């Protein structure tokens, strides 16, 4: 099942060029710092990598999670979940999922495995759900039986305020050892009005924190005060990447035309969308107040302009020393595997790899130090990337 790509695809890297354009009301987007705590990082030296096809013939694969024993769960956006075996062969679609509303950017999205999977066989996933009035982002849990059926399915989160469009669902889900889960949402394509995103009572454009049964953790920031008890942080546009790294949760979200953001969301804080942004509207007009930062809103750790259209991400913890502690990010547009060199919580260098494989949707770092990436197309693949 494994085949090696052509020599031209074996060693690929693109030096990051200096973005020098000045946008109205925004700092220079070149290598000079936008502000003291953020670096517009220079290009890193090219990393030689080998690439092979681990699995293929997937329809718009979206999320991947290790099951152990060399097997993985993978989602396909039209609404299927499959097992990838250690030899790269695919199972049939696993029965038992709820109805998936595969419209526009929506469908079956992320998948994750419980930290106690070996004992409880619990898995989690996010998806777009049809409810009265439109579509919402939802998260569910179920039990994966030994014979490949999903049982005991129950929703643990259902977004409020449905919208009829098929945009900006998010969404990543991360189960933690303490029994809580992180769930990320999008603004559902609300444009620059910001009514729901900036409303602390809604779950639009938020980081959500729930218990495994869907109840509210007692130490969430809005418990006992004004705001939705499930909300951890707010002011996000469309979070499609999340990972646990130094200091806890990190997220990455789509900006509009410019302004993709890397954040480390903190309890109860507001990250500004759509009042402030490092991007502009697609037609060229200003976002919100037409400024990139303002008092009361948190700055991103890093931003991109032009965008990378981020997907999933993961911190590298493997034997390849040059990548240790770096952040690997899927890029949908222009398409690449993006590596950020991290130092004391800041970005000090950036590399673009695999710029010829198309849209990259998710990233999974394996114990042997290789990396699996999902390519998002009607004939999507899982590629194994080995650095060095």
């Amino acid at each position: 099942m494994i085949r090696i790509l052509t020599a031209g695809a074996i060693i690929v890297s693109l030096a990051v060029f200096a973005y020098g354009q000045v946008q109205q009301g925004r700092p220079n987007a070149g290598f000079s710092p936008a502000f003291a705590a953020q670096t517009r990082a220079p290009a890193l030296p090219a990393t030689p990598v080998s690439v092979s096809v681990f699995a293929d013939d997937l329809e718009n694969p979206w999320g991947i999670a290790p099951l152990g024993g060399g097997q993985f769960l993978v989602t396909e956006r039209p609404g299927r979940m499959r097992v990838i075996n250690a030899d790269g062969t695919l199972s049939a679609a696993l029965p038992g999922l709820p109805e998936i509303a595969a419209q526009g950017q929506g469908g079956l999205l992320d998948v994750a495995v419980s930290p106690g999977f070996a004992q409880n066989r619990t898995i989690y996933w996010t998806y777009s759900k049809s409810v009265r009035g439109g579509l919402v982002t939802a998260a569910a849990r179920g039990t994966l039986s030994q014979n490949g059926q999903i049982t005991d399915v129950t929703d643990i989160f259902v977004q409020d305020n449905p919208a009829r469009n098929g945009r900006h669902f998010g969404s990543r889900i991360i189960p933690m050892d303490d029994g809580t889960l992180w769930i990320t949402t999008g603004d559902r394509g609300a444009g620059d009005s910001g009514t729901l995103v900036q409303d602390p009572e809604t779950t639009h454009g938020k980081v959500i924190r729930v218990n495994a049964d869907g109840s509210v953790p007692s130490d969430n920031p809005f418990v006992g005060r004004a705001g939705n008890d499930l909300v951890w942080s707010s002011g996000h546009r469309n979070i499609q990447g999340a990972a646990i790294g130094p200091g806890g949760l990190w997220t990455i979200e789509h900006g509009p035309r410019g302004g993709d953001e890397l954040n480390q969301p903190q309890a109860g804080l507001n990250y500004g969308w759509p009042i402030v942004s490092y991007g502009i509207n697609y037609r060229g007009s200003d976002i919100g107040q037409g400024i990139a930062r303002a008092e009361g809103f948190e700055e991103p750790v890093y931003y991109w302009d032009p965008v990378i259209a981020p997907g999933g991400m993961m911190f590298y913890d493997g034997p390849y020393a040059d990548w240790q502690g770096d952040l690997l990010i899927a890029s949908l547009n222009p398409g690449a595997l993006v590596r950020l060199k991290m130092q004391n919580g800041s970005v000090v260098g950036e590399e673009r790899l695999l710029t010829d494989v198309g849209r990259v949707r998710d990233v999974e770092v394996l114990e042997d130090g290789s990396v699996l990436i999902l390519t998002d197309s009607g004939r999507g693949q899982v590629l194994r990337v080995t650095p060095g």
Side-chain angles (χ1 to χ4, degrees):
M1 187 68 185
I2 305 296
R3 61 185 175 87
I4 303 298
L5 299 184
T6 61
I10 297 299
I11 300 176
V12 185
S13 181
L14 178 67
V16 180
F17 58 89
Y19 306 128
Q21 184 176 1
V22 179
Q23 295 182 356
Q24 181 180 359
R26 294 165 178 82
N28 187 287
F31 287 160
S32 58
F35 46 90
Q38 183 188 49
T39 304
R40 296 294 293 153
L44 295 166
T47 303
V49 297
S50 61
V51 183
S52 61
V53 176
F54 176 50
D56 55 11
D57 293 327
L58 289 158
E59 186 177 1
N60 300 108
W62 215 98
I64 188 168
L67 284 171
Q71 291 184 312
F72 300 85
L73 283 177
V74 64
T75 59
E76 295 174 285
R77 186 163 48 82
R80 292 179 293 273
M81 188 182 299
R82 301 176 185 269
V83 173
I84 306 177
N85 296 306
D87 63 357
T89 57
L90 291 170
S91 75
L94 303 180
L97 287 176
E99 183 177 352
I100 309 294
Q103 299 181 35
Q105 298 170 357
L108 184 56
L109 305 174
D110 201 18
V111 62
V113 171
S114 165
F117 177 78
Q119 291 75 42
N120 59 31
R121 305 287 298 181
T122 299
I123 62 173
Y124 302 93
W125 61 91
T126 59
Y127 68 108
S128 53
K129 180 182 180 74
S130 180
V131 298
R132 184 175 182 178
L135 305 176
V136 295
T137 298
R141 75 168 191 268
T143 301
L144 179 62
S145 67
Q146 294 285 356
N147 64 357
Q149 295 191 31
I150 302 172
T151 62
D152 306 318
V153 172
T154 183
D155 284 332
I156 60 173
F157 167 75
V158 178
Q159 191 179 45
D160 49 26
N161 298 96
R164 296 192 183 278
N165 68 62
R167 301 190 299 275
H168 297 190
F169 294 92
S171 165
R172 295 290 167 183
I173 186 166
I174 302 178
M176 302 295 291
D177 290 337
D178 65 359
T180 62
L181 295 101
W182 300 107
I183 301 166
T184 69
T185 72
D187 66 358
R188 294 295 284 107
D192 62 358
S193 64
T195 303
L196 296 176
V197 177
Q198 286 296 322
D199 183 348
E201 296 290 347
T202 77
T203 56
H204 284 236
K206 308 294 197 300
V207 173
I208 303 300
R209 184 170 176 257
V210 302
N211 291 318
D213 62 359
S215 61
V216 177
S218 59
D219 57 345
N220 272 6
F222 292 102
V223 172
R225 53 180 283 208
N228 190 305
D229 289 350
L230 292 175
V231 169
W232 178 261
S233 63
S234 61
H236 303 285
R237 184 171 183 263
N238 188 21
I239 306 175
Q240 290 195 359
I244 302 302
L249 178 70
W250 292 69
T251 62
I252 192 166
E253 66 190 75
H254 288 247
R257 184 172 150 190
D260 291 349
E261 291 185 5
L262 173 67
N263 289 299
Q264 192 176 10
Q266 302 297 309
L269 297 186
N270 190 321
Y271 289 80
W273 178 261
I275 309 302
V276 296
S277 175
Y278 280 92
I280 57 177
N281 283 310
Y282 294 109
R283 294 183 178 180
S285 59
D286 285 335
I287 299 290
Q289 298 178 2
I291 57 176
R293 52 188 184 269
E295 185 176 354
F297 300 118
E298 302 303 307
E299 290 286 357
V301 175
Y302 193 69
Y303 74 92
W304 287 265
D305 183 13
V307 300
I308 62 168
M313 67 182 191
M314 196 168 183
F315 284 88
Y316 185 84
D317 183 13
Y320 188 65
D322 286 351
W323 284 15
Q324 186 63 37
D326 291 354
L327 189 54
L328 302 180
I329 302 164
S331 164
L332 294 160
N333 184 17
L337 176 64
V338 177
R339 177 171 71 98
L340 298 183
K341 174 64 67 179
M342 305 299 295
Q343 189 175 92
N344 299 322
S346 295
V347 178
V348 298
E350 182 174 351
E351 182 184 9
R352 308 279 176 97
L353 302 105
L354 309 182
T355 57
D356 63 348
V357 300
R359 293 162 56 87
V360 180
R361 175 63 75 177
D362 201 11
V363 180
E364 181 70 31
V365 178
L366 306 186
E367 291 183 357
D368 66 2
S370 62
V371 178
L372 297 183
I373 66 168
L374 306 185
T375 63
D376 179 20
S377 75
R379 299 189 65 181
Q381 297 180 313
V382 182
L383 302 180
R384 184 189 296 272
V385 183
T386 305

